[in-house]
Amino acid sequence: MHSPLLGARRAAIDDIAAALKLAADGVGPSTLVLTAGPGSGKTHTLRELVTTVNLATRWATADELSWRQPYAVASTLLGVELPATVPARYGDRLDEALDSLSAREPHVLVIDDAHNADAGSLEFLGRLAAAATDLPVVVLVARRHLPARELLARLVSRRSSREWQLPPMDPADLEVLAHDLLGAWPDDRLSGLLAGCGGNPMHARALIDDLRSQGDIVVTGDRATTRGVDTSAPTASLHAVIRDQLALLDDTSRALVQKLAVWGGAATLNDLAALDDVPPSALVGAAQTAIDSGVLTSSDDGAMVFTHDVYADVAYGGLDPALRSVLHAAIARSHEAAGNHQLVAHHLMEAGVGDSVAAVTRAQEELEHVPAVVVDLLDTAARKASTTGSSVRTLELDLATALARSGQLARAADVAKQGLTNAADLDTVARLHRILLFTLIAQGRSAEVLELTDATLQLPVDPLTRVALLDVRRYVAILGGSAPISREPFALSEAATPSELVTESLRRFLAGDGAGGLELALEASRREGEAGDGPVLSTSADVWPPFIEHYVHGPVAAEALLDRATRLRTDRGAAWMTAYHDFVRGGVAMSQGRLDDATASFDSGLERAADAGLGWTSIAEGSRAMIDVLRGNFSSATTRLESFAESGALNQFGLPVPAQAEMLLLEAQRKLRPAAALASEVCYTATGLGLYGWFPSLAVDCARIAHRTADDALADQIIAGLAEMPEPAPEARLGPIALARALCSGDPERIGVASTDCARAAHDLGDALTEAAGWEEAACAAIAVGDKSTARDHSRSALVITQNMGASALSTRITSRLRALGLRLDPRAVRDRPRTGWDSLTRTEVTIAELVAAGLNGAEIAQKLYISQRTVQTHVSHALAKMGLRTRVELAAAVARRDPEPAL
């Protein structure tokens, strides 16, 4: 009759427990989110869950005050000291603490009442959830549905996250709860009353406590009965029951509870006594009464806290607004004396007295390095201003800036638009206009940018503004691939801005003048350093030099330039560029044949881009799909490409990289005719837009398909496109151009010469993918003229490269093509890099493993290698998986056993 917890609630808890055990073993989602209403038993459920796994546990609980204290929850979770004013890069300190924590042993990290957490902590929680996919960490989160927090919604939507709604208790659960509290089973009358609690355990407890305090429950043996209670009346709401409980407190205890509710979080008796200028000893009796009643408890450091936040909600809501205002004002004075301007601003806004605008301004200064918390502060200020009828126009510029800095780009654009309708002075208009353009461009909303610039150009703007707007229009048109690339240069003055130089550098590169584009890109980066526009409104000047260098001089040269760009990004505080630098690094590693390293960089960058709402991800998505194709993960490639297509995102510069990936997928699946048809479309797009700087990167793949299918029309199309390329072609593209032309000719002897030249040149440039393509065509050409010995040698050269990079589908393509031409290869004759153990590690993974063994943490490794700490975590995860290890301590020990003196 009284089987405990057998219903939907127990089923959900058991399901979470099973997922937690799997996550602890590195299987399935690593971030588990429990969502339920107030008083539903979230905290109790969390404590029950963590006992089901044998992992070290760290815990942080957010209270009503937490969201006003930047990084309060995150610093508590990781045991990091929180300074009064958050310094620059404090988030990096948290990342380092997480890195060190996970290096020692696996952990469960619990965040309770996450809906109350500050925005800085919620941003860190997003990074934590991403890192948990690669670290021995499981993240366990509990939250309410309300208040809605955008950063929590992002967390729940991650593919590495899973959410459960905690069901209410069923009647059997409530009977067990009553038995635990009373030591007896409830009779039918009491069970009927409990049924009116809606399955909310706190409501049930509060009801039982209320009935007991009034002597309405009698326990006889193992039976608890009620008397003097009208069971036909509906059960009072949870808040009503709590109000009744608080009403039973004496006046002094109730006043203490009300002060603590207005305070908003943990407070000592010294804090609360100071509000009335009385000695703390005068409140001891009241505090003990509140503790005995179960409303308050005392923490280890002597601070008073509510046993449940519902008590705080009810106590706060029960106060007369005028009395609340008095208490808020008194608490603001207390925080003013302590120099905590963030809390001063909050309490003055709630009090509706004093100079809250000045307090908000001071708080903003303290929060310079935590823009997400500034957003919450200004949102509160705007809401208070709207309820009092005062103007909020002065807040819109600051709010739009904070939103842009915190990566909430869509809302930043909306606020900037609203601000433009209200702003009166030209300086504010110009700054809002700039923020709006920045956010729209970053999101890839090119059509809106062009519409806005065109409308503004119709206004009587000054000459400098007109030049800047025309440059924005040209830049966005190039970025979105909305029109063919102009063959005519844009006019540049000696005093050209970094933005103007970037626009012309991209035009030159895409039109085929790679060297000229690189020269201007480097100059734009130099002038960007002189301009010092700050992290939000800085141009993209530091993104393009390594990107263009990759096409002009190859991946090795690009890697060196990327290290320089990363240093500049860090020095200039332009953190928003990190995702794009990850994309460039991924492309460089991919060309070098380091597919694991490329995957780590692309995935890290795509995570960052998704969190920030960045729109220009087509090159990364297409390249990442190509890696799946090369590895034979065709279903993953298909899913990725379909998801990108459904997103409606634009192709950056119009480059059809996702379509190129789809073309390679069709070829790998031996659907050669559809692949040829798509190759024709891709070539048409590239040449139609005049993308000759990129076209050679496509030409070899398309020419190979044309050659394999004997598609003369496609071959002619490729030859025509190559003929339009300006001279001289970039050094790194000479080999591919010659090879593509030879393949289109169909002449085996010509293909043989061009392919070997291409392979040898690519080897010198560090371009493993192009080198493998060269040896593949050299082998096929040799067998076509009957030279099996040479074909065998060239095929071995190709297969050594493809198998060592783990490109199984590429190896299969080579062997199947040669088999069709009469050459059967013995796979044992070609060395295949091991899939596990030390020899399976990539060059970067070996380097990072040795640095771990030398005692460097993730942040130090990232700084040394000029990569993001998130990318370091991914590399470490790959190394651990290949070595069959769990933590960095084990990895360091393995390196030490192999090499007693790992080098720095």
Side-chain angles (χ1 to χ4, degrees):
M1 172 183 175
H2 301 295
S3 301
L5 301 174
L6 295 178
R9 186 182 180 90
R10 171 46 58 188
I13 294 172
D14 288 345
D15 192 32
I16 304 171
L20 179 59
K21 290 177 182 178
L22 288 173
D25 291 332
V27 179
S30 51
T31 298
L32 313 180
V33 181
L34 178 64
T35 301
S40 56
K42 297 185 297 295
T43 301
H44 176 79
T45 302
L46 291 180
R47 297 195 184 282
E48 178 184 349
L49 287 168
V50 296
T51 64
T52 64
V53 291
N54 187 27
L55 293 181
T57 301
R58 297 190 68 91
W59 191 296
T61 300
D63 59 27
E64 182 64 23
L65 195 62
S66 297
W67 69 270
R68 304 173 197 114
Q69 296 178 302
Y71 294 120
V73 176
S75 60
T76 299
L77 181 68
L78 298 176
V80 179
E81 182 181 357
L82 182 63
T85 299
V86 177
R89 300 180 183 174
Y90 182 79
D92 293 345
R93 195 180 305 175
L94 294 173
D95 291 337
E96 291 173 25
L98 170 64
D99 208 60
S100 299
L101 188 73
S102 61
R104 296 192 296 270
E105 60 179 325
H107 275 75
V108 176
L109 300 179
V110 184
I111 302 94
D112 194 10
D113 287 338
H115 54 277
N116 281 330
D118 64 279
S121 291
L122 291 181
E123 282 188 326
F124 171 76
L125 181 55
R127 298 200 303 275
L128 171 59
T133 61
D134 290 317
L135 295 176
V137 166
V138 183
V139 184
L140 194 55
V141 180
R143 65 159 186 162
R144 290 189 196 175
H145 300 87
L146 296 174
R149 305 291 298 276
E150 180 182 346
L151 293 171
L152 276 178
R154 290 186 194 176
L155 176 76
V156 172
S157 66
R158 284 180 175 272
R159 283 179 289 184
S160 60
S161 298
R162 184 179 172 190
E163 182 186 23
W164 287 262
Q165 306 287 333
L166 184 62
M169 285 185 161
D170 64 18
D173 298 333
L174 292 171
E175 289 187 7
V176 172
L177 175 63
H179 186 273
D180 290 343
L181 293 173
L182 300 170
W185 296 107
D187 65 0
D188 291 342
R189 288 168 59 84
L190 182 52
S191 293
L193 287 172
L194 294 174
C197 296
N200 184 295
M202 184 180 182
H203 194 174
R205 286 191 185 93
L207 179 64
I208 290 173
D209 288 342
D210 188 42
L211 292 173
R212 277 200 298 189
S213 67
Q214 299 180 49
D216 291 331
I217 293 180
V218 177
V219 175
T220 305
D222 68 345
R223 179 65 59 179
T225 61
T226 57
R227 64 184 183 187
V229 179
D230 182 5
T231 57
S232 64
T235 304
S237 68
L238 172 60
H239 280 209
V241 174
I242 296 298
R243 279 196 296 272
D244 290 343
Q245 282 187 285
L246 295 179
L248 296 176
L249 296 173
D250 61 78
D251 291 344
T252 306
S253 300
R254 190 162 55 252
L256 175 69
V257 167
Q258 291 167 339
K259 289 187 182 72
L260 186 61
V262 178
W263 187 276
T268 66
L269 288 183
N270 287 334
D271 294 329
L272 300 176
L275 300 179
D276 293 326
D277 197 21
V278 298
S281 58
L283 300 181
V284 169
Q288 189 61 56
T289 298
I291 291 172
D292 292 342
S293 70
V295 175
L296 302 183
T297 187
S298 180
S299 63
D300 293 339
D301 59 1
M304 306 297 299
V305 294
F306 284 97
T307 55
H308 198 285
D309 53 4
V310 175
Y311 285 114
D313 293 343
V314 174
Y316 187 87
L319 262 173
D320 181 85
L323 298 180
R324 281 204 303 263
S325 176
V326 170
L327 283 175
H328 276 299
I331 294 170
R333 290 191 294 272
S334 175
H335 288 306
E336 181 74 51
N340 193 331
H341 297 131
Q342 298 150 40
L343 293 178
V344 171
H346 161 72
H347 285 289
L348 285 181
M349 285 188 291
E350 294 296 335
V353 298
D355 191 356
S356 60
V357 174
V360 168
T361 301
R362 289 196 302 269
Q364 280 184 259
E365 294 169 357
E366 289 186 356
L367 296 170
E368 177 186 1
H369 303 298
V370 201
V373 180
V374 174
V375 170
D376 283 345
L377 174 72
L378 295 178
D379 275 340
T380 302
R383 186 171 62 252
K384 291 296 178 182
S386 65
T387 58
T388 59
S390 59
S391 173
V392 297
R393 294 181 183 180
T394 57
L395 298 175
E396 288 167 335
L397 175 60
D398 290 341
L399 180 56
T401 303
L403 285 163
R405 291 187 62 204
S406 65
Q408 300 179 59
L409 299 178
R411 190 173 168 223
D414 291 341
V415 171
K417 287 179 182 177
Q418 181 61 40
L420 285 169
T421 65
N422 295 328
D425 65 287
L426 292 178
D427 180 62
T428 299
V429 169
R431 292 168 67 188
L432 283 168
H433 200 275
R434 196 174 180 192
I435 291 171
L436 179 57
L437 287 174
F438 173 86
T439 54
L440 292 176
I441 292 171
Q443 293 174 85
R445 294 160 66 178
S446 298
E448 292 180 58
V449 175
L450 295 174
E451 181 181 349
L452 177 61
T453 52
D454 286 346
T456 309
L457 284 168
Q458 300 302 314
L459 303 175
V461 296
D462 63 86
L464 287 178
T465 301
R466 179 171 295 276
V467 169
L469 288 171
L470 288 171
D471 177 65
V472 167
R473 201 186 192 295
R474 288 193 293 260
Y475 175 70
V476 171
I478 290 175
L479 198 61
S482 60
I485 299 297
S486 172
R487 290 293 185 103
E488 297 298 320
F490 300 134
L492 293 174
S493 67
E494 288 293 325
T497 65
S499 296
E500 293 172 284
L501 291 172
V502 164
T503 303
E504 174 60 9
S505 74
L506 291 174
R507 187 207 64 78
R508 290 188 185 184
F509 158 64
L510 292 168
D513 180 10
L518 179 61
E519 179 184 3
L520 281 186
L522 289 168
E523 177 62 16
S525 177
R526 186 187 69 78
R527 294 193 188 182
E528 177 70 16
E530 295 175 351
D533 273 347
V536 175
L537 302 179
S538 60
T539 72
S540 57
D542 294 330
V543 171
W544 305 119
F547 176 79
I548 298 174
E549 180 76 304
H550 186 190
Y551 291 91
V552 175
H553 295 123
V556 173
E559 193 169 31
L561 208 50
L562 182 57
D563 291 345
R564 169 188 175 274
T566 303
R567 290 194 298 271
L568 290 175
R569 180 193 74 216
T570 302
D571 293 343
R572 295 171 182 176
W576 66 270
M577 292 184 193
T578 303
Y580 296 119
H581 282 157
D582 282 344
F583 295 162
V584 176
R585 194 173 296 280
V588 167
M590 183 178 170
S591 292
Q592 292 174 320
R594 299 185 288 114
L595 299 189
D596 284 351
D597 296 345
T599 296
S601 293
F602 281 132
D603 289 350
S604 175
L606 288 168
E607 282 177 2
R608 287 179 175 272
D611 286 343
L614 299 175
W616 303 107
T617 62
S618 61
I619 297 175
E621 292 282 13
S623 298
R624 183 65 179 81
M626 287 184 200
I627 293 176
D628 283 336
V629 172
L630 293 173
R631 287 174 159 170
N633 299 329
F634 299 155
S635 62
S636 296
T638 299
T639 300
R640 182 177 293 276
L641 292 172
E642 288 177 348
S643 177
F644 178 77
E646 290 170 1
S647 73
L650 296 175
N651 283 331
Q652 191 171 13
F653 306 121
L655 300 178
V657 180
Q660 183 186 11
E662 185 180 354
M663 176 188 78
L664 295 176
L665 175 61
L666 290 169
E667 182 189 20
Q669 295 171 323
R670 303 186 183 184
K671 301 174 181 178
L672 294 182
R673 289 299 171 188
L678 186 54
S680 178
E681 292 180 22
V682 171
C683 286
Y684 179 81
T685 298
T687 56
L689 290 174
L691 302 172
Y692 296 110
W694 176 79
F695 188 61
S697 304
L698 167 74
V700 170
D701 287 334
C702 291
R704 180 184 62 253
I705 293 171
H707 182 60
R708 294 182 70 183
T709 58
D711 189 329
D712 293 338
L714 175 57
D716 291 343
Q717 186 181 4
I718 295 167
I719 291 295
L722 292 173
E724 290 295 317
M725 286 197 60
E727 298 288 346
E731 174 189 355
R733 301 300 113 189
L734 292 175
I737 290 171
L739 177 54
R741 283 176 171 152
L743 285 168
C744 290
S745 75
D747 181 353
E749 292 185 357
R750 183 179 174 187
I751 294 171
V753 173
S755 58
T756 53
D757 288 347
C758 178
R760 288 170 181 146
H763 179 80
D764 293 339
L765 295 171
D767 189 343
L769 275 182
T770 301
E771 182 185 359
W775 291 129
E776 175 185 353
E777 299 308 330
C780 291
I783 195 65
V785 296
D787 188 349
K788 284 193 174 184
S789 177
T790 300
R792 198 176 300 275
D793 289 342
H794 290 337
S795 65
R796 285 196 184 99
S797 296
L799 289 171
V800 165
I801 296 171
T802 60
Q803 292 189 7
N804 281 342
M805 71 172 69
S808 59
L810 190 48
S811 298
T812 299
R813 186 181 78 199
I814 295 169
T815 56
S816 64
R817 287 183 70 189
L818 291 170
R819 187 183 305 115
L821 294 170
L823 178 63
R824 290 186 174 274
L825 297 174
D826 181 1
R828 293 171 296 181
V830 179
R831 183 178 65 86
D832 187 5
R833 195 180 78 205
R835 297 291 183 263
T836 60
W838 181 264
D839 291 336
S840 71
L841 302 188
T842 67
R843 183 186 73 191
T844 303
E845 289 163 0
V846 168
T847 300
I848 289 176
E850 290 176 342
L851 293 173
V852 167
L856 274 68
N857 62 31
E860 292 165 337
I861 294 171
Q863 185 176 18
K864 189 176 185 68
L865 300 183
Y866 303 112
I867 58 179
S868 70
Q869 188 163 312
R870 179 71 188 90
T871 306
V872 172
Q873 291 166 347
T874 304
H875 284 308
V876 170
S877 174
H878 291 170
L880 291 173
K882 293 176 182 179
M883 298 284 286
L885 305 174
R886 187 74 170 122
T887 67
R888 294 186 199 187
V889 173
E890 295 174 1
L891 180 61
V895 175
R897 287 194 299 270
R898 181 179 179 83
D899 181 3
E901 295 182 0
L904 283 172

